[in-house]
Amino acid sequence: MGEQRRDIKGAFVMSINDTPEIREWFDGFHIYEVRLNYTIAKSGGKKVQELIISNRESRAGLL
């Protein structure tokens, strides 16, 4: 998955679950950690961590 993104000439940003495999596949990209709650209906939710991955460095305040 990461190899396909390395050839993109333009910018890309994606959000994906934080797993060791994802971190390995996208090694060398800009990776930002985001903590959030997954919620469904009235349930209490589940605390998770996602990754925002980009081939460009984020400008201050955008992520």
Side-chain angles (χ1 to χ4, degrees):
M1 190 180 324
E3 288 302 317
Q4 296 169 337
R5 302 314 185 276
R6 291 186 203 286
D7 296 333
I8 292 176
K9 294 188 186 336
F12 85 87
V13 176
M14 66 182 290
S15 172
I16 194 163
N17 291 338
D18 186 358
T19 67
E21 295 83 12
I22 295 297
R23 288 180 177 270
E24 181 181 331
W25 295 342
F26 289 95
D27 184 47
F29 287 89
H30 298 280
I31 299 177
Y32 307 92
E33 298 174 357
V34 179
R35 290 183 179 92
L36 52 102
N37 288 325
Y38 283 163
T39 58
I40 299 175
K42 295 181 182 180
S43 67
K46 177 181 175 183
K47 292 184 180 187
V48 297
Q49 183 163 302
E50 291 240 342
L51 300 175
I52 307 294
I53 301 173
S54 178
N55 62 345
R56 305 285 162 91
E57 192 170 2
S58 143
R59 294 184 184 174
L62 293 180
L63 290 178

